[in-house]
Amino acid sequence: MLPLVYLAIVVVGEPSDARDAVWSREALELMLRSVGLAAAVTETAVAVAVAIAWLTVRTDLRGRRTWAVLCALPLVIPSYIGAYLMVSALGPSGLVQDALGVGSLPSIYGFAGAWLVLSAFTFPYVLLPVQSVLRGLDPQLEDAARGLGRSPRQVFVSVVLPQLVPAIAAGALLVALYVLSDFGAVSILQFDSFTRVIYTTYRSSFEREGAAALACLLVAVTLLVLWLEGRTRRRTRAYHRIAPGAQRRPAVVPLGRWRLPALALVGGVVLLALVLPVGVLGYWATKSVAADIDWGLVASAAGGSLLAAALAAAVAAAAALPVALLAARHPSRASTVLERFSFAGHALPGIVVALALVFLGTRAWPALYQTLAMLVLAYVVLFLPQAIGSIRASLLQIDPHVEEAARSLGRSPLAVLRTITAPLARSGVLAGAALVFLTAVKELPATLLLAPIGFETLATEIWRLTSASFFERGAVPSLVLLAVSAVPLALLTFRAHFDQ
Amino acid sequence: MSAIRSIAVHKHFGGCRAVDGVTLDVEEGEVCALLGPSGCGKTTMLRLLAGFERPDSGCLMVGGEIVAGGKTFVSPERRRIGMVFQDYALFPHMTVEANVAYALGRRAEGAAARVREVLELVGLGDLGSRQPHELSGGQQQRVALARALAGTPKVVLLDEPFSGLDAALRARVRQEVRAILLAAGVTALFVTHDQEEALSLADRVAVMRDGRVEQVGTPEEVYGRPASRWVAEFLGEADVLPGTVDDGWVDCELARVRAEGVGSGDAEVLVRPESVSLSLGPAAGGRTQVEGVVVEREFFGHDQLVHVELPSGRRLRSRSLSHPVWHPGDRVRVQLDGPVSVYAAASPA
């Protein structure tokens, strides 16, 4: 929260330039462009995700469980890697063009490309919650509506869809925030959204105040999105399962002559969002391994990524424990406010936090500027909420009576924390740390702005190579990055199975 | 000396007065039940004693020492009170032995011997290396009890100790727990909403309602001479007959009985079903008798509950062994065959 306040102070402190930047015609266009992209991507993601969710949960689509898993996988591909692969495949003199032997394809750059890439890699954010709600819906409600004389289509619109709205809204919020804060994809696809312009303003000139002003504007847009989502949530909160009794499995809808179109839709999405990027990556990787490649550089970048992400994971977990403890055990107004504040980081685009820390570093804490500590701090500010959420969930599963029992057996509160609470919350703490690690490893804009000179990570390395169109050389670091993030991901999935 | 003493203790949560002036003494070595319907404040009372809540006013003493009152507040870990939670609250990441040993601290001398001793006491001597989730509900409960007893506490508090067990197991475990508590010679206060549990397990019963103690006494006293109509009806089945008190006697539809301590005027006579007997022939001893009609019969196997309608149209229940078999429509003689309670008519329900 502190960085944000500081950013606002910078903007207010530099009246003329900064205000000009905010109230200019360019700024207005910029805002429209960013919001337009976010809206378009969100709509596409919702439409695709709801369709796929229904197909994979409720119909006799062949291999629907496999499709469900495949459709969730694009989540692990960072948007900048996705964008780089798309460009190298579909761009001018890209792989597809070469393979087809056609003169030119529609341009991948700009709005269309950004929309395509971001939609392809964000729709799982909607798919996963909608799928899980769809699985839990009470089929008797639908039977009742059918019994009251409604057609299957009417039932879907009047009974099923309203119950999906909260899940759709939650997923759509994630997508919208993702698009607004995404930096990698829009930059590679040369679409001038907020994050890209903030970055170029910051890099190309010394008028950092202009970048700060734009960052503030971006935060305002983000807050607006959050506010809108909060309003819809308030209106649609009251859907709970009210039917008692054991749950019956819903009937499977036979697709009939729609089987092929359905298969084509799901297959097409998987092809675009998963098969194509992974295939292209593999292709580049085999080519680049054959060519000479600077393994030392890859190794040092991987080392940098691991170090920074591991530090961030450890610090975030340590910082999250007391906050989560306070929020879970002593719910009061103060603890709620504290928790909300730490969640602000969740909605803040990485570039904004990074920029704020640059200002703090150059003006207030020069000792920290250009150090690894500053980068870790940025990661912690950005990803603390993930750690808090995970730890809080595991704390809420601990029966408070267990802690009270320990107290009445003669142990002080601190001893209870050490011998009872911490061991029981361990899996939650580990999961929180793994999540932070996963996201920190992939983080790009804050890393670009805050990494000390000479400190390379996989993300900055991929960025450097691909923005210079060295597509071949970017492949190996990308593969390493995916491999590195697969470890905590596997840990998390494994744990979810173990807990069940 | 009282092992537990509570003097005018108050505790409210928001606008709700959970404990509203409770004064109660529990003697050393006694098993005392705190009985009341859900929401009457009995669990709050237990948590106040254990030190998980702070009283708003009043004074709590354990073993002759003030643990809460005025400026004094002794934290839970210093009170030497063993607590058995409703859900047992066993540490899921420790073995049975480690759970019990936790009560003894890390540096305790002879900890292993003490753990063995209490586990033997609760009959789980050979299950020490199990994890809590590998035990049945009844065994988990005994581990919780062993853990509470291990540190030789002054007092053991039990919160709804049998509610997690199924009905068949409950009756047996109840007597086992009583035997364990007596063998340990410890003062115990337990909370329950089940009158049968309170009456069968406790030396004394304190009946709570709306944050207050309505009556304290032996199980026989609170059941046989309830202090109010509410207590009478909470503790068991009872029917009410209107009557008139005159000079220490009350006249009601069934009989004329002694009514001590009730002023002249309208009164209510509370009759328990087991005090009403039914017969076909003329009653012996020339006691007052009334003819009624059987309207309903509930059969429970070893006994039966027969509903009879009296000439006035009032209904009365009679509990008897399963013979003779009565049928709806049978005309029977109804007579009073046991103690009744008499209250002035204004007694609140």
Side-chain angles (χ1 to χ4, degrees):
Chain A
M1 214 48 210
L2 187 68
L4 196 65
V5 173
Y6 194 76
L7 205 62
I9 292 172
V10 167
V11 174
V12 175
E14 307 281 339
S16 55
D17 288 2
R19 282 195 198 147
D20 286 353
V22 171
W23 297 119
S24 66
R25 195 186 155 73
E26 286 80 29
L28 186 67
E29 282 174 7
L30 184 60
M31 186 159 10
L32 286 178
R33 267 203 304 276
S34 290
V35 172
L37 180 68
V41 170
T42 307
E43 276 167 29
T44 314
V46 167
V48 170
V50 171
I52 293 183
W54 186 74
L55 285 172
T56 52
V57 173
R58 285 295 179 86
T59 69
D60 61 350
L61 185 75
R62 189 179 279 254
R64 58 195 178 122
R65 295 217 171 73
T66 316
W67 288 120
V69 173
L70 289 178
C71 283
L73 282 180
L75 265 189
V76 301
I77 303 177
S79 71
Y80 52 94
I81 294 186
Y84 129 62
L85 294 170
M86 287 289 188
V87 166
S88 69
L90 301 175
S93 62
L95 292 178
V96 172
Q97 198 178 338
D98 286 353
L100 294 179
V102 291
S104 73
L105 285 170
S107 169
I108 183 83
Y109 291 107
F111 182 87
W115 165 77
L116 185 70
V117 167
L118 286 172
S119 300
F121 295 111
T122 56
F123 81 90
Y125 282 118
V126 188
L127 179 68
L128 294 177
V130 171
Q131 267 178 339
S132 95
V133 172
L134 209 50
R135 278 198 199 99
L137 282 190
D138 184 359
Q140 289 189 37
L141 290 179
E142 288 157 63
D143 295 348
R146 287 298 295 279
L148 293 170
R150 297 296 195 284
S151 72
R153 194 182 305 257
Q154 285 171 322
V155 170
F156 184 80
V157 172
S158 63
V159 176
V160 178
L161 211 52
Q163 299 187 80
L164 295 181
V165 164
I168 293 176
L173 175 73
L174 286 179
V175 172
L177 291 178
Y178 187 100
V179 174
L180 281 177
S181 59
D182 177 70
F183 167 75
V186 290
S187 301
I188 290 172
L189 294 162
Q190 298 174 9
F191 177 73
D192 277 330
S193 73
F194 261 116
T195 47
R196 182 171 193 240
V197 174
I198 290 172
Y199 182 72
T200 45
T201 313
Y202 169 79
R203 272 286 136 98
S204 64
S205 66
F206 288 100
E207 50 166 322
R208 293 181 170 181
E209 289 71 23
L214 289 175
C216 281
L217 211 54
L218 175 55
V219 172
V221 173
T222 312
L223 291 178
L224 190 72
V225 171
L226 279 175
W227 177 74
L228 281 174
E229 196 270 346
R231 271 180 49 130
T232 55
R233 187 157 40 170
R234 212 163 309 138
R235 255 188 297 138
T236 58
R237 193 160 37 181
Y239 300 132
H240 293 294
R241 186 187 163 86
I242 43 175
Q247 201 180 352
R248 210 162 44 76
R249 292 190 64 79
V252 169
V253 179
L255 284 171
R257 63 199 164 90
W258 290 98
R259 210 175 61 220
L260 280 181
L263 215 54
L265 170 74
V266 179
V269 169
V270 170
L271 182 74
L272 183 74
L274 192 67
V275 177
L276 188 68
V278 171
V280 172
L281 190 57
Y283 172 78
W284 288 127
T286 46
K287 268 190 82 169
S288 74
V289 169
D292 61 328
I293 172 166
D294 194 345
W295 287 103
L297 203 63
V298 174
S300 82
S305 280
L306 285 177
L307 177 65
L311 280 174
V315 175
L321 190 58
V323 178
L325 206 59
L326 213 58
R329 284 288 177 268
H330 307 281
S332 68
R333 189 166 299 186
S335 68
T336 314
V337 168
L338 184 62
E339 204 195 358
R340 284 281 151 74
F341 265 129
S342 63
F343 267 83
H346 202 45
L348 282 180
I351 188 133
V352 174
V353 170
L355 200 63
L357 286 177
V358 166
F359 279 109
L360 266 178
T362 48
R363 299 187 183 189
W365 305 329
L368 275 180
Y369 191 52
Q370 285 286 344
T371 64
L372 187 58
M374 202 65 165
L375 181 61
V376 171
L377 180 63
Y379 287 160
V380 170
V381 170
L382 281 169
F383 308 131
L384 189 64
Q386 300 180 347
I388 292 178
S390 163
I391 295 174
R392 205 177 94 104
S394 70
L395 284 177
L396 287 176
Q397 281 180 349
I398 303 176
D399 178 2
H401 284 164
V402 168
E403 290 166 1
E404 289 179 352
R407 285 294 298 281
S408 74
L409 292 171
R411 299 299 173 84
S412 69
L414 217 62
V416 173
L417 180 66
R418 202 189 64 238
T419 56
I420 304 293
T421 316
L424 287 178
R426 194 181 55 195
S427 73
V429 175
L430 277 181
L435 258 172
V436 173
F437 181 88
L438 185 67
T439 31
V441 145
K442 297 194 295 186
E443 209 284 335
L444 178 64
T447 318
L448 275 179
L449 257 62
L450 289 169
I453 291 168
F455 184 83
E456 293 292 341
T457 72
L458 288 168
T460 57
E461 190 61 15
I462 295 165
W463 165 258
R464 191 176 63 80
L465 293 168
T466 54
S467 54
S469 292
F470 293 130
F471 294 142
E472 283 178 31
R473 296 200 210 160
V476 169
S478 299
L479 275 178
V480 175
L481 179 58
L482 291 183
V484 165
S485 38
V487 175
L489 199 66
L491 202 77
L492 288 173
T493 329
F494 193 67
R495 176 178 163 263
H497 280 285
F498 184 74
D499 283 355
Q500 279 164 13
Chain B
M1 186 187 67
S2 298
I4 299 173
R5 168 167 279 187
S6 161
I7 304 164
V9 168
H10 286 81
K11 175 73 186 175
H12 71 91
F13 298 106
C16 165
R17 278 189 227 162
V19 171
D20 192 13
V22 167
T23 297
L24 179 68
D25 280 293
V26 180
E27 297 301 322
E28 203 151 312
E30 181 176 62
V31 176
C32 181
L34 209 50
L35 171 68
S38 56
C40 74
K42 53 195 194 304
T43 295
T44 306
M45 195 58 214
L46 220 56
R47 294 176 59 81
L48 285 165
L49 277 167
F52 302 133
E53 309 283 353
R54 237 174 233 268
D56 301 330
S57 63
C59 179
L60 286 169
M61 296 168 75
V62 174
E65 286 170 33
I66 296 180
V67 293
K71 291 216 163 57
T72 312
F73 183 78
V74 180
S75 61
E77 63 267 27
R78 302 231 170 83
R79 291 196 181 187
R80 295 200 45 212
I81 287 180
M83 178 108 180
V84 177
F85 289 85
Q86 188 171 4
D87 47 13
Y88 316 139
L90 298 180
F91 305 133
H93 58 306
M94 298 181 182
T95 61
V96 167
E97 272 168 356
N99 262 281
V100 177
Y102 193 88
L104 301 171
R106 279 160 298 164
R107 298 174 302 275
E109 289 284 317
R114 177 64 184 157
V115 169
R116 231 179 358 261
E117 192 183 335
V118 281
L119 282 178
E120 292 292 343
L121 178 68
V122 300
L124 293 175
D126 46 348
L127 297 181
S129 55
R130 295 270 188 98
Q131 293 285 325
H133 66 86
E134 295 172 322
L135 302 180
S136 71
Q139 290 170 331
Q140 289 183 3
Q141 196 211 31
R142 280 183 282 163
V143 174
L145 190 57
R147 189 178 66 178
L149 291 171
T152 54
K154 299 175 190 163
V155 169
V156 174
L157 306 176
L158 303 98
D159 186 7
E160 298 273 3
F162 309 104
S163 64
L165 305 173
D166 59 60
L169 200 58
R170 209 175 293 165
R172 206 189 77 216
V173 172
R174 212 146 64 193
Q175 291 314 315
E176 283 173 4
V177 166
R178 178 165 170 88
I180 293 165
L181 289 173
L182 291 181
V186 69
T187 309
L189 178 64
F190 76 98
V191 148
T192 179
H193 64 271
D194 181 337
Q195 37 92 11
E196 193 183 305
E197 201 166 288
L199 296 176
S200 65
L201 191 53
D203 299 320
R204 280 202 310 153
V205 178
V207 186
M208 266 188 90
R209 178 194 186 191
D210 294 340
R212 296 169 164 277
V213 173
E214 290 259 317
Q215 186 177 5
V216 187
T218 64
E220 292 78 10
E221 278 167 0
V222 292
Y223 186 79
R225 293 200 298 280
S228 68
R229 184 176 158 185
W230 184 86
V231 172
E233 291 184 332
F234 182 68
L235 280 173
E237 292 152 331
D239 292 302
V240 181
L241 292 175
T244 319
V245 176
D246 185 25
D247 196 22
W249 288 82
V250 62
D251 276 308
C252 70
E253 198 174 349
L254 272 189
R256 180 178 167 81
V257 288
R258 285 292 293 170
E260 282 164 27
V262 182
S264 295
D266 289 344
E268 288 173 329
V269 180
L270 252 85
V271 185
R272 298 227 182 260
E274 63 270 23
S275 299
V276 177
S277 71
L278 307 177
S279 58
L280 270 179
R287 277 192 241 171
T288 326
Q289 49 186 273
V290 176
E291 199 178 66
V293 181
V294 173
V295 287
E296 202 184 322
R297 172 175 175 260
E298 294 173 63
F299 182 64
F300 296 104
H302 70 290
D303 64 348
Q304 60 181 339
L305 194 62
V306 182
H307 299 240
V308 250
E309 195 170 285
L310 299 180
S312 65
R314 286 180 188 284
R315 288 189 178 191
L316 209 57
R317 286 169 294 178
S318 161
R319 187 179 287 282
S320 57
L321 297 179
S322 42
H323 278 283
V325 177
W326 301 106
H327 300 285
D330 287 353
R331 307 190 71 81
V332 290
R333 290 187 198 289
V334 186
Q335 67 187 42
L336 207 52
D337 196 13
V340 296
S341 316
V342 183
Y343 306 100
S347 171

